[in-house]
Amino acid sequence: MTMFHFFNCAILTFGPHAVYYSATPLSEYDTLGTSVKAALVYLGTALVKLVCLATFLQVSENDGFDPYQEILKALIGFIDVAGLYFALTQLTHRNISQNHKFQAVGLGWAFADSVLHRLAPLWVGARGLEFTWDYILQGLEANANLVLSISLAALGSLIWLRKNKPKTLIPIIYACAGIVATMPSITSYLRRGLGWHFPEVVGFELFTSLVMAFISWQLFSACQRPSA
Amino acid sequence: MVLSKNFGGGHRGLQESMYSVISLLFILVACVEFCDAAAAIDVYRLIQYDMSGSAFGSRFAALNHHAASLHFPLGTDLSRTVLIIPLRELNITFVREYINQKKPLGGLLFLLPEIFNPGNGGNKQVHEREKLKNVLAELERLLIHANLPYAVYFAFENDEIDIVLADIKKNDATGQPATATTGGYKLVIPTPEPKKVASPTITNIQGWLSGLKADGDMNQLPTIAIVASYDTFGAAPALSVGSDSNGSGIVALLEIARLFSLLYSNPKTRGRYNLLFGLTSGGPYNYNGTQKWLRSFDQRLRESIDYAICLNSIGSWDNELWIHVSKPPENAYIKQIFEGFSKVAEELDIKVGLKHKKINISNPRVAWEHEQFSRLRVTGATLSQIPVAPELLESTGGLFDSRQFVNETAITRGVKLVAESLVRHIYGHQGKNVQIFADGGSLAVNPAYVQSWLDLLSRTPRVAPFLSKNDPFVMALKKELADHTDEVNLQHEILEGMFTFYDSTSTTLNIYQVASVTFDLVLLLVLGSYLIVLFCFLVITTRGLDDLISLFRRPPSRKVKTA
């Protein structure tokens, strides 16, 4: 029965990635290579972030919210953005349209994030006899993270790959990208500074991811109109 | 400087994080399941023994069932459920009915108040503790003489299990019994099947204090024996500390030994009697150890014993003690002993009564230790606060016999009584009002000694089959007796006869909060539908509705093509 629960949480955590890949035209254009490359770039980014965090961050005894440490963590979080930039622009992709490129990169990024952060706790914890809601909430968080990663990739591709953008939309694009990039800091502030519990934080993440996805979809289609 | 410190710390930090990642990988590979139970508590198993071939006690040790409280809905099948019963809510008739009617049960877990915990809980004042003690005594009597084909465990109340029990009660109140499909709490004890204890040893410790032999006197000096049995028997062997039965007897014997060793240390004050101190084992089993000890004596030694005083449970009396004898009270020796004790008792404001119980040679039951002496024609008497001879396995130091209920003053008065009576007999001062062990003198009874030994005994479970030959406690008793006597001997024997014991007396219980199978099935359905909806949504938004419909229409179109 407990392997059953592990299986359930696993399909909640990793299922949407597979569904996204097969449902959208990504599977038709065989963009798997792009996703894999994006996942590897994420791995490299994670290692660089690990090194920076270990070097510059001090471990605090209490679980409170230290603004200086959080700002430092946010700055290090921008390495994520740099990694995404690298994946979007520097990697050589096969001839796929920009539309699909950002989706593939976002998908690979989110999948690597889920595997690295959520597979280990799931394997170790969800198979035991003891039942907690944590793993289901973690799966929901993975879903929200998928949406956020794809939104960030979309905004990133708008910023770096699209040359002709309507002037009025540029600050909005940068603002949204900034919000999405600093999402980890916002959630950690909510958890530690305001003392929200895990279900509330996950709910907030889901809501903001949907909002951000909608906004970036609108921005993307707005930017696409002139060229079309 | 700060930067270099950071860099040094950073290198270490990097190394540590690398090591932690690698160790986590190893853990993943080894598939170790972390114990993340809702609670893990120490539990102690009900004793399992065979007596003359009949099985008694709890016959199983492993547990893997759901938990229920006493508020379970009537008519539920409890054959795969463990009942958790706190002692305060115990209804003894309910348990008795369950056991006598042999109703199927998955297991029993009794929660005892902290005052019965030998490890701690010594000084807490609990109201109704007499009532709790009586309830526990009755429960123990019921469980020891029953044959239970499931695991029975005792545990002490603490915060964790109180929370769990409150939760279980709430679930039971809603009328849903806990099974695999409805969730709840699961109790797991993964111990293997209990095995017989092979050749249980009983160890008798004897200390010999020589009297003063006059020059030219070829005769053997007379001997007085002071004996107490030190092992216990109770419902939970890991908790049977027997503070009163017979911790009080052991402490009294050690204190008497100490006083007489002081008296005998100076040849001028050494009496003309040898003193033989015996700490015997096998008490609950018809004083098997005492019998073997006496059989090992030389005939001359046995004949030289004037009389033997056995000490049994003298720790919680108010002002009345009993001397139990097996020879008729008219016997001259018995009269002499009793008068000596009565005189001293009068001075100490204690009431001493004489009880006579005839021995039946054909009956193997030995209720008092002096009966073993009497069977070998040695005069003996037992000093005890218990007025009536106990049954087999009764008053042998069970769960309810904890430190709380023993009074050091009672033991001190008992020591004074015995010591003064003996000393007047040894030095021939019968009838004279002389206080040798008077308070305040150098030979006064030491209450601190009594208290410290009593505290130690109240923390040491002493069920004989579970005490090995070189058990540290036995060695401690030997050493203490060696301090007060001239010569100490150990005698190791095998406990044979009608008793067989089984091991596995204490272990850890894991309590898991489990979700039901139906929950996971429902979750699977929800997730399946979510993924299907997500799939359809994505297909519609990215490829258009036609594509979705075409997914279902592809096979027929292919058929059309081939045709």
Side-chain angles (χ1 to χ4, degrees):
Chain A
M1 191 198 85
T2 52
M3 280 304 280
F4 193 11
H5 190 67
F6 167 73
F7 175 73
N8 278 342
C9 294
I11 61 176
L12 177 59
T13 314
F14 303 112
H17 301 88
V19 164
Y20 191 90
Y21 185 78
S22 55
T24 57
L26 289 179
S27 55
E28 284 178 20
Y29 292 99
D30 198 16
T31 50
L32 192 63
T34 315
S35 298
V36 168
K37 282 185 207 161
L40 290 173
V41 170
Y42 179 83
L43 205 67
T45 316
L47 280 172
V48 169
K49 274 204 325 192
L50 196 73
V51 170
C52 291
L53 280 172
T55 313
F56 295 115
L57 220 60
Q58 298 146 1
V59 178
S60 64
E61 280 84 36
N62 58 346
D63 211 14
F65 183 74
D66 188 358
Y68 179 64
Q69 298 294 316
E70 294 299 324
I71 292 175
L72 214 58
K73 276 194 212 164
L75 284 175
I76 294 178
F78 277 108
I79 298 178
D80 257 338
V81 181
L84 207 54
Y85 169 78
F86 180 79
L88 275 173
T89 56
Q90 303 299 345
L91 290 179
T92 52
H93 302 293
R94 290 214 329 248
N95 213 0
I96 42 180
S97 75
Q98 194 181 61
N99 202 352
H100 297 144
K101 193 196 265 186
F102 83 81
Q103 285 184 41
V105 167
L107 185 68
W109 194 264
F111 186 72
D113 180 87
S114 286
V115 166
L116 238 53
H117 287 172
R118 290 179 194 98
L119 182 62
L122 204 59
W123 176 251
V124 168
R127 285 186 312 141
L129 270 179
E130 180 80 9
F131 171 76
T132 48
W133 287 99
D134 282 347
Y135 301 107
I136 299 177
L137 289 173
Q138 213 179 44
L140 291 174
E141 197 183 10
N143 279 318
N145 196 41
L146 171 63
V147 179
L148 277 174
S149 299
I150 294 182
S151 320
L152 187 59
L155 293 168
S157 83
L158 276 183
I159 295 173
W160 298 308
L161 294 178
R162 188 165 288 272
K163 301 305 174 199
N164 46 347
K165 299 183 277 267
K167 293 291 177 210
T168 50
L169 290 178
I170 292 178
I172 307 179
I173 294 174
Y174 277 95
C176 288
I179 294 174
V180 176
T182 53
M183 268 306 283
S185 304
I186 297 173
T187 47
S188 97
Y189 169 69
L190 287 175
R191 196 174 306 173
R192 301 209 188 140
L194 294 181
W196 282 21
H197 294 301
F198 197 35
E200 297 159 7
V201 173
V202 171
F204 172 76
E205 277 182 12
L206 282 170
F207 174 71
T208 40
S209 65
L210 288 173
V211 166
M212 281 293 138
F214 181 72
I215 294 177
S216 32
W217 182 30
Q218 291 300 315
L219 283 171
F220 201 84
S221 43
C223 290
Q224 221 166 357
R225 262 184 246 123
S227 50
Chain B
M1 281 178 295
V2 176
L3 201 62
S4 65
K5 207 199 309 179
N6 272 343
F7 260 106
H11 278 300
R12 255 182 280 115
L14 173 62
Q15 265 193 331
E16 278 166 5
S17 46
M18 279 282 126
Y19 282 140
S20 62
V21 167
I22 292 172
S23 58
L24 189 62
L25 272 168
F26 273 125
I27 289 173
L28 278 179
V29 169
C31 299
V32 168
E33 275 184 28
F34 291 160
C35 169
D36 53 345
I41 51 175
D42 293 323
V43 291
Y44 310 95
R45 197 167 78 99
L46 180 66
I47 193 161
Q48 181 182 358
Y49 66 101
D50 297 335
M51 186 166 75
S52 312
S54 316
F56 291 101
S58 154
R59 310 306 294 179
F60 283 90
L63 258 188
N64 193 350
H65 293 311
H66 285 264
S69 69
L70 278 174
H71 304 290
F72 61 88
L74 291 167
T76 44
D77 176 29
L78 293 174
S79 59
R80 292 190 64 79
T81 318
V82 177
L83 275 181
I84 303 184
I85 305 180
L87 191 71
R88 291 173 217 267
E89 297 166 25
L90 177 67
N91 181 356
I92 195 86
T93 41
F94 167 78
V95 180
R96 189 174 291 135
E97 175 196 311
Y98 236 82
I99 292 175
N100 288 343
Q101 292 176 8
K102 297 204 193 303
K103 289 193 189 165
L105 192 59
L108 276 173
L109 178 67
F110 290 102
L111 294 180
L112 307 173
E114 269 289 310
I115 53 168
F116 295 109
N117 192 347
N120 86 47
N123 294 326
K124 301 202 186 93
Q125 285 298 325
V126 177
H127 42 255
E128 306 184 324
R129 61 181 196 173
E130 281 299 321
K131 191 165 89 107
L132 286 173
K133 180 181 172 186
N134 292 338
V135 168
L136 187 54
E138 215 185 316
L139 176 69
E140 215 173 330
R141 218 179 357 251
L142 172 66
L143 290 175
I144 288 177
H145 295 293
N147 181 355
L148 306 166
Y150 39 81
V152 179
Y153 280 92
F154 296 93
F156 292 105
E157 289 171 355
N158 64 10
D159 295 327
E160 291 177 320
I161 193 135
D162 282 341
I163 296 173
V164 168
L165 187 62
D167 217 0
I168 294 176
K169 281 186 192 166
K170 215 164 37 150
N171 288 340
D172 279 346
T174 60
Q176 252 189 344
T179 57
T181 47
T182 50
Y185 285 89
K186 201 155 194 207
L187 305 183
V188 178
I189 299 178
T191 47
E193 204 174 310
K195 294 189 292 291
K196 279 191 195 175
V197 175
S199 312
T201 43
I202 47 177
T203 309
N204 296 321
I205 311 169
Q206 75 177 42
W208 180 265
L209 201 57
S210 305
L212 185 68
K213 231 184 176 147
D215 293 332
D217 186 2
M218 283 298 119
N219 296 329
Q220 174 95 346
L221 278 179
T223 314
I224 298 180
I226 301 148
V227 193
S229 89
Y230 69 83
D231 68 330
T232 59
F233 180 91
L239 297 173
S240 293
V241 293
S243 299
D244 204 2
S245 310
N246 191 11
S248 52
I250 305 170
V251 169
L253 186 146
L254 289 176
E255 178 63 2
I256 294 171
R258 187 187 72 88
L259 290 171
F260 274 97
S261 82
L262 282 175
L263 206 54
Y264 274 42
S265 54
N266 188 347
K268 288 204 193 115
T269 53
R270 201 174 294 165
R272 300 267 168 91
Y273 277 80
N274 294 324
L275 286 172
L276 175 61
F277 295 97
L279 285 166
T280 59
S281 180
Y285 324 113
N286 291 329
Y287 294 101
N288 199 324
T290 318
Q291 185 193 49
K292 294 202 156 89
W293 184 49
L294 289 176
R295 291 246 172 91
S296 74
F297 280 0
D298 203 9
Q299 175 77 354
R300 272 198 322 159
L301 172 58
R302 214 184 301 155
E303 283 174 3
S304 76
I305 299 182
D306 244 14
Y307 63 90
I309 299 282
C310 308
L311 302 169
N312 185 350
S313 310
I314 50 173
S316 53
W317 54 277
D318 272 330
N319 51 10
E320 185 161 16
L321 280 177
W322 299 96
I323 297 186
H324 298 267
V325 292
S326 42
K327 290 199 175 148
E330 302 80 41
N331 185 298
Y333 296 115
I334 301 291
K335 254 197 187 158
Q336 193 185 36
I337 299 169
F338 184 63
E339 272 165 16
F341 270 87
S342 305
K343 187 85 179 38
V344 178
E346 217 177 284
E347 288 163 29
L348 294 173
D349 203 16
I350 304 172
K351 204 165 117 208
V352 175
L354 187 66
K355 283 248 163 130
H356 171 230
K357 178 179 173 289
K358 266 199 237 178
I359 304 178
N360 186 352
I361 302 277
S362 53
N363 185 358
R365 169 79 189 125
V366 178
W368 297 111
E369 197 160 9
H370 71 266
E371 292 183 19
Q372 293 287 16
F373 285 87
S374 301
R375 279 167 195 240
L376 292 171
R377 302 185 207 299
V378 179
T379 312
T382 304
L383 180 70
S384 175
Q385 75 207 3
I386 305 172
V388 208
E391 299 292 318
L392 181 64
L393 301 178
E394 194 186 311
S395 293
T396 49
L399 279 173
F400 61 90
D401 197 349
S402 68
R403 175 75 180 84
Q404 293 258 319
F405 303 102
V406 177
N407 186 357
E408 304 92 72
T409 339
I411 302 180
T412 325
R413 287 169 80 195
V415 167
K416 228 187 275 186
L417 173 65
V418 177
E420 283 286 352
S421 319
L422 285 177
V423 103
R424 286 184 198 187
H425 181 94
I426 290 173
Y427 295 99
H429 290 308
Q430 277 102 320
K432 294 186 199 157
N433 191 352
V434 178
Q435 285 254 357
I436 296 184
F437 299 107
D439 287 337
S442 58
L443 286 172
V445 178
N446 188 348
Y449 186 83
V450 166
Q451 187 167 5
S452 68
W453 269 98
L454 190 62
D455 286 342
L456 172 65
L457 286 166
S458 304
R459 284 198 304 271
T460 320
R462 306 187 293 279
V463 182
F466 303 105
L467 287 177
S468 65
K469 237 189 227 184
N470 298 321
D471 192 86
F473 178 70
V474 173
M475 293 295 121
L477 281 180
K478 176 184 173 202
K479 184 176 173 302
E480 189 64 18
L481 211 52
D483 279 347
H484 303 316
T485 53
D486 296 332
E487 194 188 322
V488 169
N489 290 102
L490 285 182
Q491 180 200 15
H492 299 290
E493 296 281 341
I494 306 277
L495 176 65
E496 62 198 54
M498 23 184 224
F499 286 91
T500 320
F501 292 91
Y502 293 80
D503 63 3
S504 176
T505 52
S506 74
T507 178
T508 319
L509 167 72
N510 293 315
I511 306 179
Y512 296 104
Q513 186 168 22
V514 291
S516 56
V517 172
T518 36
F519 171 78
D520 270 317
L521 281 169
V522 168
L523 187 63
L524 182 64
L525 280 169
V526 167
L527 287 177
S529 45
Y530 163 68
L531 286 178
I532 290 172
V533 165
L534 185 67
F535 184 83
C536 296
F537 172 73
L538 287 172
V539 168
I540 291 174
T541 48
T542 53
R543 291 196 262 188
L545 189 58
D546 299 332
D547 265 339
L548 178 66
I549 298 171
S550 70
L551 274 176
F552 297 108
R553 270 219 207 133
R554 228 176 266 154
S557 56
R558 231 182 257 148
K559 268 191 191 166
V560 169
K561 265 198 179 167
T562 49

